[in-house]
Amino acid sequence: LVLSIYLAQDQWRSVREVAKRVELWELSPESQQQLDYSLALAAENLDESETAAPIWQKLYESGALPPSQQAYAAFFLARDAERERELEKAYSLGKEALNMLLEQSERNPNAADLGKIRTQLSSLMDVAETAGRLREALGFAEQYLQYLPAQDTERTAVQYRMARIYRKQGNLDAWKTTLTDIAAKNPGTVYGQLASSELKAAAIAEDAARYSPTGRI
């Protein structure tokens, strides 16, 4: 009961105090599992992800967590894998975490963790782009936009990243269209200015190429 109260109030150091007090107790497997889960959450919230990682791994491999907690275990393991540059593992666990978070959202919209869903989509976009899976990176970006309100300034940042990915793909039409839209709708902002600068630089390069003997610069 005390542990559940501390969790609800985000009193993470108090969670650790509870764990110390009961370390000599003989707990049931279910109670030990919930204590471990609480300790992992406490470590994450105290910026001690390295401490949390082995606990998440044990909990994840047990397969005994409720679906919502299993989703968090996969989520935090995916973040740890991304920090360690283990892209394949980060991608696999990230996809699993996202699917479970979305299933939970569909089952009970009131319990949906939209913050974790957005974070996971952003992470998957990063991992996919770094791994050269550009089409999938764009897919995650488009999905991410669906979870951002119309007036959220983060939308422009995501769209600017999409423009960058389009250019990596060689899809210059989509790149130019996206930057033009950003510049027109966000004048005076950082991303609006960046988009305008890129478009101007591209126009100058195109003009210079016309006068180059080889047709390029």
Side-chain angles (χ1 to χ4, degrees), residues 175-176 179-180 183 194-204:
W175 167 76
K176 188 173 183 178
L179 288 184
T180 301
L194 285 171
S196 294
S197 295
E198 284 196 40
L199 289 168
K200 287 176 183 176
I204 291 170

Side-chain angles (χ1 to χ4, degrees), residues 62-135:
S62 75
L65 289 172
S68 60
Q69 293 183 355
Q70 186 75 356
Y72 284 173
F75 173 87
F76 286 113
L77 285 173
R79 291 185 66 184
D80 183 65
E82 186 177 1
R83 281 190 296 269
E84 296 297 322
R85 308 300 292 173
E86 299 175 5
L87 297 183
E88 185 175 347
K89 183 178 179 182
Y91 184 83
S92 175
L93 285 167
K95 285 271 289 183
E96 182 179 351
L98 177 63
N99 289 337
M100 286 189 287
L101 288 167
L102 292 175
E103 286 172 6
Q104 178 181 324
S105 174
E106 290 176 4
R107 284 196 305 270
N108 186 359
N110 293 328
D113 193 335
L114 298 180
K116 287 288 188 299
I117 290 173
R118 285 193 288 262
T119 298
Q120 190 58 73
L121 284 167
S122 178
S123 176
L124 283 167
M125 181 169 49
D126 290 340
V127 171
E129 183 181 355
T130 303
R133 304 170 75 155
L134 302 182
R135 183 183 298 178

Side-chain angles (χ1 to χ4, degrees), residues 200-217:
K200 287 176 183 176
I204 291 170
E206 287 177 8
D207 287 341
R210 291 194 187 99
Y211 297 98
S212 169
T214 61
R216 61 179 183 273
I217 59 170

Side-chain angles (χ1 to χ4, degrees), residues 32-33 36 52-65 77:
Q32 184 63 56
Q33 177 181 282
D36 289 342
I55 307 175
W56 289 126
Q57 190 67 44
K58 181 178 76 170
L59 291 169
Y60 176 81
E61 290 177 355
S62 75
L65 289 172
L77 285 173

Side-chain angles (χ1 to χ4, degrees), residues 173-184:
D173 287 341
W175 167 76
K176 188 173 183 178
T177 297
T178 304
L179 288 184
T180 301
D181 187 60
I182 291 172

